[in-house]
Amino acid sequence: MHDVFEKTFIATLVCTSDTLRGAVNVVPVGEIEGTGALGVREEGEGTALTFNYQGSPDGLPLFEITTGEPGAVLDIDINGALGLYPLDEEISNKWQLQVLEQGDEQVPARVQLKTEDGDAVLLDRSGGEGEETINVMDGEEVVFELRVVQWL
């Protein structure tokens, strides 16, 4: 079912929860180019993310996720929020991609993003409208539409 995703690619994600539909973006935090927290915006295009294929040790494709900016990778901050943060050589956060529906060139795939340990990525709306965050600590499980921009 997911062997098509067993390679490196660039894609955008759209959050499709019961209460919100919007593009996943990197919301800048700090001064380092290409870094920041992942947020959901109902309008506009999402941030293009590079899914660097790392293998499928447990049957699900495993990726290191970046924006293509050198030194920034998808990671979890101290509060459980996902974001693109400066690379820490001692921490290696890889991400599972569970494909729910394959999709094609016309229809995006439907996927769940999980930590390497299998914990689901969640959408937290407690901050109010426009303050939605993607994290691994609190919120509802979220399904994403994944639209491949380019196969690498």
Side-chain angles (χ1 to χ4, degrees):
M1 172 89 171
H2 35 265
D3 59 344
V4 71
F5 289 105
E6 292 181 346
K7 54 184 91 171
T8 298
F9 58 92
I10 299 171
T12 57
L13 295 173
V14 173
C15 170
T16 61
S17 80
D18 291 337
T19 56
L20 176 70
R21 178 179 173 82
V24 174
N25 288 282
V26 176
V27 180
V29 176
E31 301 175 11
I32 301 174
E33 183 78 25
T35 65
L38 287 190
V40 178
R41 302 293 176 257
E42 293 184 65
E43 297 179 11
E45 294 291 318
T47 300
L49 300 171
T50 301
F51 290 72
N52 297 298
Y53 181 64
Q54 304 292 305
S56 299
D58 295 322
L60 291 176
L62 204 59
F63 297 90
E64 179 182 78
I65 302 174
T66 70
T67 58
E69 295 286 335
V73 297
L74 186 63
D75 203 347
I76 303 168
D77 75 9
I78 195 167
N79 298 314
L82 272 64
L84 282 119
Y85 302 113
L87 178 63
D88 182 339
E89 297 295 337
E90 297 187 20
I91 298 174
S92 175
N93 275 324
K94 293 187 175 48
W95 302 89
Q96 293 179 1
L97 192 63
Q98 182 176 8
V99 179
L100 305 174
E101 294 175 24
Q102 195 70 50
D104 58 33
E105 290 182 15
Q106 307 301 318
V107 178
R110 292 178 51 78
V111 302
Q112 280 191 303
L113 192 60
K114 298 185 176 198
T115 66
E116 187 171 6
D117 296 329
D119 297 323
V121 169
L122 308 171
L123 176 67
D124 183 4
R125 301 202 65 187
S126 64
E129 190 171 330
E131 299 295 322
E132 296 84 1
T133 60
I134 299 172
N135 71 84
V136 294
M137 303 283 277
D138 191 32
E140 61 185 274
E141 281 194 30
V142 64
V143 172
F144 297 99
E145 289 181 354
L146 181 146
R147 185 171 304 276
V148 173
V149 176
Q150 179 181 2
W151 295 101
L152 303 175

